[in-house]
Amino acid sequence: MLRSFRFFKFDFRGALLSTFVCTLICASIGLSAFAHAHRFHAGITDISMNPNTGNTEFVHTFMAHDVEALLENLYQRQFDLSDPEDVLVFKKYFEKQFVLNDTGGVLPLKWVGLKVDPNSVIVFQELEQRALPEQVSIRQAVLTDFLIDQVNTLNITKNGVTQTHTFTRNQREQRLP
């Protein structure tokens, strides 16, 4: 009788090994897919004049995952950018990394606010009652100190014409004519 059921004999060691190997393969595929999902690090800054207010507006967009990783790395804790205290920490970092200078010195950029969603962090700033000077030095180093391959694209729109500038770890500052 035992022989007839021998066909159904269960090998626990083999099953465990098979399960382990299958788990490793599935995890590798999953991690591989995750790694490929975020292969680049980029930020975009759009600068334009608002004719209704007379202010020059700055809209900076970054990947939320990159900003979270930066803050956790710098301060060794989790951040919640809906918490005003955590926003102040990020603001302090941001204002050191994005700076405009003209012949008179640092331009007074006003922090307008922050919008966060699962995919992006958007920072709003403005230069009140002033157009962007013709000659300006721009430092756009946000995340370049943390991510080696971070590329920040800056678009300046004046009179309907857009100029694009690229900032990287090796070129964090540019003087514009």
Side-chain angles (χ1 to χ4, degrees):
M1 186 89 167
L2 200 51
R3 280 187 202 192
S4 63
F5 289 100
R6 191 167 215 195
F7 178 75
F8 295 105
K9 183 180 174 189
F10 190 73
D11 180 8
F12 285 103
R13 285 189 313 187
L16 244 115
L17 183 60
S18 296
T19 302
F20 179 72
V21 170
C22 183
T23 302
L24 280 178
I25 291 170
C26 290
S28 297
I29 291 170
L31 289 176
S32 173
F34 177 75
H36 290 298
H38 193 91
R39 294 173 76 169
F40 63 95
H41 303 283
I44 297 176
T45 297
D46 291 306
I47 303 173
S48 62
M49 178 65 134
N50 183 331
N52 297 325
T53 63
N55 298 336
T56 300
E57 298 178 344
F58 299 77
V59 180
H60 312 271
T61 306
F62 298 94
M63 294 179 188
H65 175 77
D66 294 342
V67 172
E68 291 168 5
L70 164 84
L71 293 172
E72 288 175 10
N73 185 51
L74 285 176
Y75 300 101
Q76 302 302 307
R77 67 177 181 88
Q78 288 193 327
F79 274 76
D80 176 4
L81 290 177
S82 65
D83 179 337
E85 289 181 21
D86 286 352
V87 170
L88 286 175
V89 172
F90 178 60
K91 177 184 176 198
K92 183 178 176 181
Y93 165 81
F94 191 90
E95 289 178 339
K96 285 181 184 175
Q97 300 299 334
F98 185 80
V99 180
L100 300 177
N101 289 286
D102 68 359
T103 55
V106 175
L107 296 175
L109 290 175
K110 178 183 173 189
W111 181 274
V112 176
L114 181 73
K115 179 183 172 192
V116 179
D117 66 41
N119 298 314
S120 60
V121 173
I122 303 171
V123 175
F124 302 93
Q125 293 179 299
E126 62 186 9
L127 187 57
E128 292 184 303
Q129 300 299 303
R130 189 169 173 185
L132 191 65
E134 289 300 318
Q135 291 191 359
V136 64
S137 175
I138 300 176
R139 174 180 166 82
Q140 172 44 306
V142 177
L143 294 170
T144 62
D145 55 336
F146 176 63
L147 300 167
I148 295 170
D149 58 345
Q150 175 74 23
V151 176
N152 293 326
T153 302
L154 184 132
N155 299 313
I156 302 174
T157 302
K158 285 185 180 181
N159 303 319
V161 176
T162 301
Q163 294 178 341
T164 299
H165 304 274
T166 303
F167 296 78
T168 63
R169 176 174 275 209
N170 295 329
Q171 187 174 20
R172 295 177 178 170
E173 192 167 323
Q174 294 182 37
R175 186 147 198 67
L176 307 181

